[in-house]
Amino acid sequence: RAAGAVPVVVFNPLGWQRSGVLPINVQMPAPEQDASVMDATGHVLPSEVLSRDTVTNSIHLLVEVSDIPSMGYEVLRVVPQKLPLESDLRVTGTTLENAAMRVVVDPKTGCITSLYDKKSSFETLAAGSCGNELQAFKDTPKDYDAWNIDPGTLDQPPTRLHADSVQVVEKGPMRGVIRVTRVWQNSKFVQEIVLDAFSDEAEAVNDIDWHERHVLLKAAFTLSASAPFATYEIPYGTIQRPTTRVNSWEKARFEVPSLYWADLGDVNHGFSLINDSKYGYDSVGNLLRLSLLRSPVSPDPDADQGPHHFSYALYPHGGDWKQALTVRRGYEFNYKLKAMQVEAHSGAMAARHSFVSVQSENVVLTAVKKAEDSDALIIRMYEWAGKTGTVTLAVPPGATAAVETNLLERAEGPPLGLAGDRVTVPVHPYEILTVRVDYPRKPL
């Protein structure tokens, strides 16, 4: 290995291999002016040094990694030299652009005026609209102040929060950032619109000092493509809800819950709004909004007051949400790749390794754990696309048998096919599936 190289392990907690840009913090053995990153095969990865600490010889980098193994890891090496870098990112004025997408921010209003998907050659936002518009509504529930949003709340014209300043704060080869600052009433809003090299998602990173009373804050997107239904993620599945308001049933569903994402579009184009901690959405016509903050006064008069930090991702795509694999994008936004500096050492395991994987794109692996009553391995997953098929699991070596179980881990049905470290199991549409993989009991 290169002299002075520092090993870093990147771990992927999800059940499919994935790529992306992630931060890495390393302490180099000596003061260095430059650094580059190499993967387990010695290939140079696109990276950028964001900052240095000359007192501790520490470096903070961004690096683009590819195909980190499912529920596994890869060992990278940070080397003390500047190696050739390839990047597709450009920052021109208040426009962020890479090979996959273009994000245009109005320098006066702070609105996203264009969210262009280059892969499908489509403008996601409706012409003349203000994308990512922050809207404030008077929010005075008749009962249960902290729990209810009353009918009619979203029917009133919102107060639109205009920008006080719009400035580019990063324009490196790996990341472009536009910071939009707003002050409204008693609160301050700092929002950074971020686009990474090689990414087909933009991110809105929010730092809000919130000091309002009876105000509901939303982020709004008026879209070019829409449909009579929007799709929302629910536990172990999805649900379609109407975007029309033609009867009392539809009017009553003006604010709805969702987990990691909601999606609106037609069969050719769509837009997924992915969150990391905000679970209230509304969609009517071609408008999709995410609820960001509320400010009730009962039972806690200071509920939600003070600083808030959260993010959401903007994912324009061709096709519908199934073709765009939005389910995976929601998990990836909430379960980041993790990087950790380690000491160099020899060992029996390879520099790249996957512990467990599921080969089918329409199946999400949600849990891997030791069985409650044995040394077996419990693997839980679910099917999200409405397809019947056969799933192949790659499991740790040494398995002696496998069987499907119920949620109490009790065997149901005949033994499953097991060949080496591969288990095959049938899966049905929208099924929650649990598999027990048996291993020899180890002596105490």
Side-chain angles (χ1 to χ4, degrees), residues 107-153:
K108 295 182 178 179
T109 65
C111 297
I112 296 178
T113 56
S114 176
L115 191 65
Y116 187 75
D117 177 17
K118 293 185 178 182
K119 294 182 296 181
S120 62
S121 301
F122 186 74
E123 175 54 61
T124 302
L125 300 179
S129 68
C130 176
N132 193 43
E133 183 176 57
L134 296 188
Q135 300 180 349
F137 295 84
K138 184 179 179 181
D139 182 22
T140 53
K142 181 179 178 181
D143 298 303
Y144 307 110
D145 198 30
W147 289 270
N148 284 359
I149 299 175
D150 279 1
T153 299

Side-chain angles (χ1 to χ4, degrees), residues 169-170 177-180 190-194 203-206:
V169 294
E170 284 189 42
V177 180
I178 298 173
R179 180 177 296 157
V180 181
V190 179
Q191 192 172 68
E192 294 188 339
I193 309 302
V194 181
E203 184 176 352
V205 181
N206 300 266

Side-chain angles (χ1 to χ4, degrees), residues 7 12 21 63 69 88 103 109 175 189 234 237 242 245 260 271 423:
N12 173 17
V21 174
V63 58
D88 66 347
V103 184
T109 65
R175 176 168 291 175
F189 308 79
I234 59 175
R245 300 290 184 267
Y260 295 153
F271 172 71
V423 177

Side-chain angles (χ1 to χ4, degrees), residues 16 54 93 111 115 138-139 141 145 155 159 161 165 172 194 215 235 253 307 331 344 363 370 385 394 398 416 442:
W16 55 86
T54 56
C111 297
L115 191 65
K138 184 179 179 181
D139 182 22
D145 198 30
D155 296 335
T159 299
L161 279 59
S165 69
V194 181
V215 174
R253 288 180 280 184
Y331 275 92
V363 174
K370 179 184 176 298
L416 298 173
K442 295 182 179 180

Side-chain angles (χ1 to χ4, degrees), residues 65-95:
V65 296
S66 298
D67 300 331
I68 302 299
S70 164
M71 278 204 174
Y73 67 86
E74 180 173 353
V75 178
L76 311 181
R77 297 198 179 275
V78 181
V79 296
Q81 55 184 307
K82 188 65 175 177
L83 299 172
L85 166 69
E86 294 182 4
S87 174
D88 66 347
L89 182 67
R90 295 201 311 267
V91 180
T92 307
T94 53
T95 297

Side-chain angles (χ1 to χ4, degrees), residues 25-286:
N25 294 301
V26 294
Q27 187 174 36
M28 303 299 288
E32 302 295 344
Q33 293 301 312
D34 291 306
S36 297
V37 184
M38 303 171 70
D39 66 12
T41 65
H43 177 70
V44 179
L45 300 176
S47 64
E48 175 189 357
V49 175
L50 295 181
S51 62
R52 301 175 178 85
D53 185 335
T54 56
V55 176
T56 62
N57 298 339
S58 297
I59 297 179
H60 180 58
L61 305 101
L62 285 177
V63 58
E64 203 268 340
V65 296
S66 298
D67 300 331
I68 302 299
S70 164
M71 278 204 174
Y73 67 86
E74 180 173 353
V75 178
L76 311 181
R77 297 198 179 275
V78 181
V79 296
Q81 55 184 307
K82 188 65 175 177
L83 299 172
L85 166 69
E86 294 182 4
S87 174
D88 66 347
L89 182 67
R90 295 201 311 267
V91 180
T92 307
T94 53
T95 297
L96 310 175
E97 185 173 7
N98 63 21
M101 65 186 300
R102 181 172 63 244
V103 184
V104 180
V105 178
D106 188 293
K108 295 182 178 179
T109 65
C111 297
I112 296 178
T113 56
S114 176
L115 191 65
Y116 187 75
D117 177 17
K118 293 185 178 182
K119 294 182 296 181
S120 62
S121 301
F122 186 74
E123 175 54 61
T124 302
L125 300 179
S129 68
C130 176
N132 193 43
E133 183 176 57
L134 296 188
Q135 300 180 349
F137 295 84
K138 184 179 179 181
D139 182 22
T140 53
K142 181 179 178 181
D143 298 303
Y144 307 110
D145 198 30
W147 289 270
N148 284 359
I149 299 175
D150 279 1
T153 299
L154 303 180
D155 296 335
Q156 59 184 310
T159 299
R160 292 172 167 84
L161 279 59
H162 299 292
D164 294 308
S165 69
V166 179
Q167 54 183 329
V168 175
V169 294
E170 284 189 42
K171 52 188 309 182
M174 294 303 298
R175 176 168 291 175
V177 180
I178 298 173
R179 180 177 296 157
V180 181
T181 303
R182 302 173 176 91
V183 176
W184 177 72
Q185 295 192 159
N186 302 306
S187 302
K188 182 176 181 180
F189 308 79
V190 179
Q191 192 172 68
E192 294 188 339
I193 309 302
V194 181
L195 181 64
D196 289 337
F198 313 106
S199 177
D200 56 4
E201 295 177 7
E203 184 176 352
V205 181
N206 300 266
D207 284 285
I208 300 176
D209 192 13
W210 183 245
H211 297 283
E212 305 305 320
R213 293 288 188 272
H214 284 143
V215 174
L216 167 63
L217 181 71
K218 281 182 170 283
F221 298 84
T222 307
L223 306 176
S224 297
S226 62
F229 293 89
T231 304
Y232 303 85
E233 187 180 43
I234 59 175
Y236 283 77
T238 57
I239 189 171
Q240 286 188 322
R241 302 182 187 274
T243 59
T244 52
R245 300 290 184 267
V246 297
N247 56 50
S248 60
W249 291 83
E250 293 180 359
K251 291 177 182 178
R253 288 180 280 184
F254 56 92
E255 177 84 358
V256 298
S258 188
L259 290 182
Y260 295 153
W261 57 270
D263 185 272
L264 180 59
D266 54 30
V267 296
N268 298 312
H269 304 280
F271 172 71
S272 298
L273 183 52
I274 305 169
N275 80 87
D276 69 358
S277 58
K278 305 295 178 180
Y279 308 114
Y281 289 81
D282 76 286
S283 181
V284 57
N286 63 337

Side-chain angles (χ1 to χ4, degrees), residues 291-332:
S291 295
L292 305 182
L293 289 167
R294 295 186 67 225
S295 46
V297 298
S298 176
D300 181 0
D302 295 319
D304 292 346
Q305 300 297 302
H308 296 259
H309 177 80
F310 57 90
S311 299
Y312 50 90
L314 320 178
Y315 177 38
H317 57 80
D320 63 13
W321 63 270
K322 293 181 181 180
Q323 295 169 301
L325 298 178
T326 292
V327 171
R328 286 192 170 188
R329 298 305 185 94
Y331 275 92
E332 289 173 0

